[in-house]
């Protein structure tokens, strides 16, 4: 399915005055300018029959052309940094635009990913970023950037891990300025601390296959999102609960002791096939990291599997039994 999915990558060219490490207040957002999520929703509407027809509605081209030259102020999280292959010495910087409540319903999206936050994959790519700027960026860092939409292209993003929900089309932006927050990692538990876990789960014998997503907040709130595997859009089941804050504090301590921010972002080597997988993430202030873990990758550290189990236990996953098994 994903082979035909058109990836909406926003490509941003770096302005000579951009300073990625600046911590002064970012510019105020113009209420009349285009919002990134509006752009993506337009893509979903225009490309609803992409799989069958392998093309989007012609009006989508008119929509994107009308955006050219417009100023943007967007924010996201650094997902990847790669040197450009044009001998310029400049870099591509992937920006993940998905926030914790992002949930996409798009018919061509395969069942395994409907309603699952795909953090750690780039939705935006900054182009022509200078080496001194890249030196001040870290994976998971929250940034605000400004620029102007200048065109579309399909030739970029191959060096960056792009979100598979939208793949191939790049919107080029120049005159960029990047404002990066303080990258210090503080493991003090706060209400804004967020730990997540996503697992696709399938019980073949009773035809019960689904994906669940857990969000554990620093104040003890827990959100559970359940979505069955269907060949059509299905609204997710959402439940909430509250757990003891001290349990969340203990869970966060495990993440700190595991040196979570020092682990790889992706453990997906096929040491063997037909294994399950899980994705965790941790947000501390302006720092965020996500790790995809395929259980068939024998190089993955045992501590990662332990962290995944601890998230389930802290959230008391047993209280969120899926509908078909209740």
């Amino acid at each position: 399915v994903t082979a035909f999915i058109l990836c909406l990558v926003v490509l941003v060219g770096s302005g000579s005055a951009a300073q990625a490490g600046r911590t002064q207040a970012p510019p105020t957002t113009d209420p009349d300018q285009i919002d990134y999520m509006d752009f993506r929703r337009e893509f979903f509407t225009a490309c609803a029959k992409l799989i069958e027809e392998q093309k989007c509605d012609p009006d989508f081209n008119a929509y994107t052309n009308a955006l050219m030259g417009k100023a943007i102020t967007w924010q996201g999280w650094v997902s990847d940094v790669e040197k450009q292959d044009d001998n310029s010495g400049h870099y591509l910087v992937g920006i993940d635009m998905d926030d914790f409540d992002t949930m996409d319903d798009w018919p061509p999206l395969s069942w395994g990913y409907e309603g699952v936050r795909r953090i750690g994959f780039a939705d935006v790519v900054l182009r022509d970023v200078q080496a001194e700027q890249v030196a001040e960026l870290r994976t998971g860092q929250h940034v605000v950037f400004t620029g102007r939409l200048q065109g579309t292209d399909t030739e970029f993003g191959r060096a960056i891990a792009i979100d598979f929900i939208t793949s191939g089309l790049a919107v080029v932006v120049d005159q960029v300025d990047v404002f990066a927050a303080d990258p210090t990692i503080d493991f003090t538990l706060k209400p804004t601390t967020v730990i997540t876990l996503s697992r696709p789960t399938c019980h073949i014998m009773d035809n019960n296959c689904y994906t669940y997503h857990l969000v554990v907040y620093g104040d003890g709130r827990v959100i559970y999102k359940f979505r069955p595997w269907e060949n059509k859009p299905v609204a997710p089941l959402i439940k909430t609960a509250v757990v003891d804050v001290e349990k969340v504090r203990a869970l966060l301590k495990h993440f700190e002791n595991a040196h979570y921010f020092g682990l790889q972002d992706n453990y997906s080597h096929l040491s063997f096939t037909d294994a399950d997988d899980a994705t965790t993430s941790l947000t501390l202030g302006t720092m965020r990291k996500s790790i995809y873990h395929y259980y068939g990758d024998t190089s993955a550290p045992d501590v990662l599997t332990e962290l995944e189990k601890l998230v389930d236990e802290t959230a008391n996953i047993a209280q969120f039994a899926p509908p078909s098994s209740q």
Side-chain angles (χ1 to χ4, degrees), residues 34-60:
I34 182 67
D35 179 83
Y36 170 74
M37 293 309 295
D38 289 341
F39 194 87
R40 189 151 82 179
R41 281 189 289 269
E42 186 70 23
F43 165 79
F44 290 157
T45 300
C47 303
K49 297 182 179 180
L50 181 61
I51 300 302
E52 297 89 341
E53 301 179 2
Q54 299 186 27
K55 64 180 181 181
C56 297
D57 191 307
D59 289 343
F60 185 63

Side-chain angles (χ1 to χ4, degrees), residues 215-224 239-245 247-248 314-316 319-320:
V215 183
V216 181
Y217 292 92
D219 59 5
R221 289 178 297 131
V222 175
I223 296 177
Y224 169 86
K239 296 182 178 181
T240 61
V242 177
V243 299
D244 189 336
V245 171
K247 291 184 177 180
V248 182
T314 301
N316 187 16
Q319 68 179 310
F320 300 119

Side-chain angles (χ1 to χ4, degrees), residues 84-251:
Q84 292 179 190
D85 58 3
D86 56 4
N87 299 317
S88 66
H90 295 161
Y91 289 77
L92 298 173
V93 178
I95 303 292
D96 176 11
M97 302 292 285
D98 290 312
D99 208 339
F100 287 102
D101 293 326
T102 300
M103 184 174 290
D104 297 313
D105 290 303
W106 186 46
L109 191 62
S110 60
W111 48 258
Y113 302 101
E114 287 184 6
V116 178
R117 250 184 100 252
R118 298 160 306 282
I119 75 171
F121 294 97
D123 302 293
V124 171
V125 177
L126 313 184
R127 188 182 64 178
D128 292 329
V129 181
Q130 299 178 11
E132 56 267 28
Q133 294 178 269
V134 169
E136 300 182 22
L137 295 177
R138 297 186 184 184
T139 300
Q141 187 175 14
H142 186 210
V143 295
V144 177
F145 55 96
T146 64
R148 288 190 177 274
L149 303 174
Q150 289 297 320
T152 59
D153 205 313
T154 57
E155 297 302 316
F156 299 95
R158 288 192 296 267
I160 301 291
I162 303 300
D163 192 343
F164 35 77
I165 191 174
T166 48
S167 26
L169 179 66
V171 178
V172 184
V173 183
D174 64 6
Q175 303 176 37
V176 171
D177 212 351
V178 182
F179 299 81
D182 185 352
T184 300
I185 302 176
D186 180 6
F187 275 87
T188 302
L189 183 67
K190 300 176 181 178
T192 54
T193 299
V194 184
I195 299 171
T196 73
L197 169 69
S198 295
R199 291 186 192 269
T201 303
C202 192
H203 305 286
I204 299 296
M205 297 302 294
D206 57 2
N207 194 31
N208 184 21
C209 299
Y210 56 91
T211 296
Y212 74 83
H213 181 65
L214 284 172
V215 183
V216 181
Y217 292 92
D219 59 5
R221 289 178 297 131
V222 175
I223 296 177
Y224 169 86
K225 298 179 181 179
F226 162 90
R227 186 188 291 267
W229 294 1
E230 301 284 354
N231 291 322
K232 60 183 179 180
V234 178
L237 170 69
I238 300 177
K239 296 182 178 181
T240 61
V242 177
V243 299
D244 189 336
V245 171
E246 291 307 311
K247 291 184 177 180
V248 182
R249 193 186 312 279
L251 175 61

Side-chain angles (χ1 to χ4, degrees), residues 242-263:
V242 177
V243 299
D244 189 336
V245 171
E246 291 307 311
K247 291 184 177 180
V248 182
R249 193 186 312 279
L251 175 61
L252 180 60
K253 188 63 177 178
H254 283 290
F255 273 77
E256 181 179 10
N257 293 341
H259 304 289
Y260 186 80
F261 281 90
L263 299 177

